[in-house]
Amino acid sequence: MSLAATERAEATLRMRPLRDARFTTLLAPALLGVATIGLWQLVVDVFNIDAFIVPSPQSIWSEFLDSRSSIWHGMLGTGRNALYGLLIGAALGILGALVANAVKVIDLMAVPIVAALSVVPIVALAPVLYTMFGAAANTARVIVAALTVIIPVYVNTLRGLRQVKVVHRELMHVYAARPVFVARAVTLPTASPYVFTGLRIASSLAVISALIAEYFGGPVDGLGKAITTAASSSNYPLAWAYVLGSILLGLAFYVVTLLVELRVARHSSPSTSTVSL
Amino acid sequence: MTHALTDDAVTKDGCAIRASGVGRVFAGTKGHQVIALDDVHLEVAEGEFVSLIGPSGCGKSTLLRIVADLDHPTSGSLTVFGKSTHQARVDQDYGIAFQQAGLLPWRTVAANVGLPLEVHGVARSDRQTRVEELLELVGLTDFARSYPDQLSGGMQQRVAIARALAESPRLLLMDEPFGALDEITRERMQAELVRICSETGAAVLFVTHSIPEAVFLSDRVVVMTPRPGRIIEIVDSRPTAGHARDDEFRDAEEFFHTIARVRELLHGGPVAAARGVETR
Ligand SMILES: Nc1ncnc2c1ncn2[C@@H]1O[C@H](COP(=O)(O)OP(=O)(O)OP(=O)(O)O)[C@@H](O)[C@H]1O
Ligand SMILES: [Mg+2]
């Protein structure tokens, strides 16, 4: 989907109450999903496709049920790394944006760093980090996740901090309000929809990068490692069952951030836009 | 508005605002300068209601912003209650209502009205009582728990006015506060403002584009002209003794007479058939 289309979809989602949005946001995609899976099953059955090319949804599902405890275990392992990465990265991103917003020089100095970090595929650092922190620890994976999270959170927060309306700033000036009060009453509430947009993008990225980082080494307690192991032992339905587990994990992260956002930022300005990278 | 002079809080010069020779020059594009204000002399007595009227770009907002310490004169000087504008701001000597309501969308109506009280550390219970009073005053008691985006533009403006009145300031600065209101609400708010001012004895500096509004509300109407922004004349618009500022006054002969006078000044010459042509 193009950026503009995403923005429009978000705008409509935000302005309607949740229960009105239910049909279009939940039922319609669900129908599409069911149709796709049905078609998939049909194609695999009719053309007798081999499991190493693409296994049938049915075989993936039965493998998923059989191995659900080890999949759950993998989700916990990868999920923990992603969560730590998300929390650390988000904290650093928000903090960095606050500093950059307050000190112009730091903002200017950060521009090339941010640009560089946003074009570097951060998972590519994983092998290097494994040698730095040891392949027995999860440190490298948390760092990879945190690094991917920092950028979208930083960029969106900084943009949000700059949305403070002139009339609000002047009002605070007229009240001779202290800087801490201004931050609490005006700046942070203005920025919060943008911060959440950043967090929503970041939450999925955290899971993806924590998982991909497992492909490059480290301890064997995550989904990424499980996928590679199952694939190399030619157990394709199992590999796909782990992929299904990863999808669920990514969704869980996304939905939780979305719910927190809906609770916190209900009456902030409806015209929120996204900066994605 | 005679009791303003007997107010306890009379400053040494008895002036809410004293502007002497105030000028404001903006550096425009390519060295081109905009003289927003030129040699403005104006004194607003305590408890006096003074309106600024004039075509767009004549420096009304600029003058108001200088009083509010949001801008600074490039020449001349301006004091508020005998103090520098900075000191008056720090001391919270005035309330302000902008043309835009400027409410915080994430706060309820009540929390918006209570904002200045909160900034200045008024205790929660006192704040609540005061906010209830103010909402009653602007007729929005039922909307205390609503959010600004659930209110019409006119209602939002009333919230902003309640907020400006929150600390019972001795001076009110208002930049076209009724611009967004419909005619009926507008007249009601004007009557309210007259009542509030006579109750609190506050001085008001009021910017408007409406001649009848200026004449109805004000003790004096300051007529301005653009490029450079100057005061052409100050018209006395106090109702003569025996007249109150009420709906009857809107139909009075002297009301139309003053309107005609202000319009003449704005158009730079006598205008025929002034009476009854424009009643806004
Ligand atoms: N920040 C600024 N920078 C440059 N020029 C400015 C600035 N603010 C105002 N001006 C200029 O000063 C002049 C007076 O502006 P001001 O806003 O005071 O007019 P006004 O009388 O309030 O007009 P209106 O009735 O349209 O609100 C205008 O010519 C405007 O272009
Ligand atoms: Mg103006």
Side-chain angles (χ1 to χ4, degrees):
Chain A
M1 219 190 313
S2 75
L3 186 62
T6 322
E7 276 182 20
R8 220 174 308 121
E10 269 184 12
T12 47
L13 188 71
R14 185 182 296 277
M15 277 184 292
R16 271 180 305 174
L18 197 56
R19 63 182 174 288
D20 290 0
R22 225 159 244 176
F23 175 76
T24 37
T25 53
L26 293 181
L27 195 57
L31 283 175
L32 182 68
V34 169
T36 311
I37 291 170
L39 192 70
W40 176 358
Q41 181 75 43
L42 199 73
V43 170
V44 172
D45 286 349
V46 169
F47 296 101
N48 226 344
I49 293 173
D50 284 323
F52 67 87
I53 296 175
V54 68
S56 74
Q58 204 188 352
S59 61
I60 296 172
W61 182 245
S62 63
E63 200 62 65
F64 183 81
L65 291 181
D66 290 347
S67 330
R68 61 182 178 277
S69 79
S70 72
I71 291 175
W72 177 243
H73 188 74
M75 283 168 79
L76 287 183
T78 305
R80 199 183 317 113
N81 294 338
L83 183 66
Y84 290 163
L86 180 62
L87 293 179
I88 294 169
L92 290 177
I94 292 172
L95 211 69
L98 283 170
V99 172
N101 187 51
V103 189
K104 187 104 184 92
V105 189
I106 294 189
D107 181 22
L108 290 175
M109 291 194 305
V111 170
I113 302 173
V114 171
L117 269 180
S118 54
V119 293
V120 170
I122 286 156
V123 276
L125 293 175
V128 188
L129 292 171
Y130 281 126
T131 31
M132 280 169 70
F133 294 98
N138 272 310
T139 322
R141 294 170 183 173
V142 173
I143 291 177
V144 166
L147 283 175
T148 19
V149 163
I150 286 180
I151 296 305
V153 172
Y154 173 86
V155 172
N156 279 285
T157 305
L158 191 55
R159 182 166 174 188
L161 291 172
R162 296 200 173 127
Q163 304 299 314
V164 174
K165 291 204 177 120
V166 175
V167 61
H168 291 161
R169 205 173 41 226
E170 294 193 335
L171 198 64
M172 288 294 125
H173 177 76
V174 162
Y175 291 156
R178 292 163 171 280
V180 176
F181 187 92
V182 179
R184 191 165 61 75
V186 174
T187 320
L188 289 177
T190 303
S192 83
Y194 292 81
V195 177
F196 276 111
T197 301
L199 284 179
R200 220 169 342 117
I201 298 166
S203 65
S204 310
L205 284 179
V207 174
I208 294 169
S209 50
L211 190 140
I212 308 276
E214 293 173 23
Y215 290 176
F216 298 99
V220 281
D221 58 354
L223 290 169
K225 257 286 182 312
I227 292 171
T228 44
T229 311
S232 60
S233 61
S234 303
N235 192 346
Y236 299 107
L238 181 63
W240 279 85
Y242 278 116
V243 171
L244 181 58
S246 333
I247 294 172
L248 292 178
L249 184 65
L251 270 179
F253 267 67
Y254 184 85
V255 167
V256 168
T257 357
L258 190 65
L259 288 179
V260 174
E261 176 182 2
L262 284 176
R263 271 200 74 79
V264 174
R266 209 169 314 157
H267 278 280
S268 40
S269 65
S271 55
T272 316
S273 33
T274 321
V275 186
S276 54
L277 288 161
Chain B
M1 231 165 265
T2 43
H3 65 267
L5 296 173
T6 61
D7 205 291
D8 324 326
V10 178
T11 37
K12 40 186 185 303
D13 59 356
C15 257
I17 302 171
R18 183 194 291 274
S20 34
V22 166
R24 177 65 169 105
V25 179
F26 288 106
T29 44
K30 294 177 193 159
H32 179 82
Q33 287 187 334
V34 179
I35 305 173
L37 287 175
D38 184 42
D39 196 30
V40 168
H41 293 270
L42 178 66
E43 282 171 19
V44 178
E46 298 217 17
E48 192 185 20
F49 199 120
V50 172
S51 289
L52 304 177
I53 197 163
S56 196
C58 69
K60 306 181 293 291
S61 300
T62 305
L63 182 55
L64 195 99
R65 290 171 56 81
I66 290 174
V67 176
D69 197 30
L70 288 166
D71 198 356
H72 302 284
T74 40
S75 58
S77 69
L78 193 146
T79 55
V80 176
F81 294 112
K83 310 177 219 181
S84 70
T85 53
H86 174 82
Q87 192 58 45
R89 174 171 66 85
V90 172
D91 294 350
Q92 290 301 302
D93 285 333
Y94 55 85
I96 191 165
F98 299 98
Q99 184 168 5
Q100 292 171 279
L103 305 179
L104 302 179
W106 47 87
R107 283 178 167 243
T108 61
V109 165
N112 264 292
V113 173
L115 182 68
L117 302 170
E118 202 179 317
V119 179
H120 303 119
V122 176
R124 179 182 289 269
S125 59
D126 298 346
R127 220 156 67 205
Q128 259 170 5
T129 337
R130 179 75 183 131
V131 167
E132 275 165 30
E133 269 171 38
L134 289 160
L135 287 178
E136 171 106 42
L137 181 73
V138 294
L140 290 173
T141 307
D142 295 343
F143 295 89
R145 297 171 144 272
S146 305
Y147 283 86
D149 59 0
Q150 299 166 322
L151 266 53
S152 74
M155 288 155 95
Q156 292 182 17
Q157 198 58 49
R158 275 144 73 193
V159 177
I161 292 166
R163 182 178 63 185
L165 294 169
E167 297 183 286
S168 316
R170 287 190 289 158
L171 172 63
L172 264 176
L173 306 174
M174 305 179 108
D175 195 345
E176 297 181 48
F178 304 152
L181 304 185
D182 66 276
E183 194 58 32
I184 296 164
T185 317
R186 190 175 181 138
E187 287 193 358
R188 246 200 55 218
M189 290 302 298
Q190 290 171 0
E192 281 300 314
L193 189 58
V194 167
R195 187 176 62 75
I196 292 163
C197 291
S198 64
E199 274 174 18
T200 62
V204 185
L205 186 62
F206 191 91
V207 174
T208 179
H209 276 133
S210 157
I211 303 173
E213 180 169 273
V215 173
F216 178 74
L217 291 171
S218 318
D219 296 321
R220 287 187 296 155
V221 178
V222 176
V223 184
M224 297 178 70
T225 168
R227 282 172 293 276
R230 281 201 180 118
I231 295 177
I232 326 176
E233 197 169 318
I234 301 180
V235 178
D236 199 306
S237 55
R238 236 174 281 254
T240 45
H243 276 98
R245 265 196 200 93
D246 51 23
D247 282 344
E248 251 166 65
F249 177 58
R250 290 186 199 274
D251 297 322
E253 188 71 32
E254 59 170 320
F255 180 62
F256 288 112
H257 187 78
T258 319
I259 288 178
R261 174 82 190 112
V262 172
R263 177 169 305 144
E264 239 172 62
L265 287 165
L266 283 173
H267 288 267
V271 188
R275 178 169 180 166
V277 173
E278 190 196 302
T279 48
R280 256 172 60 108

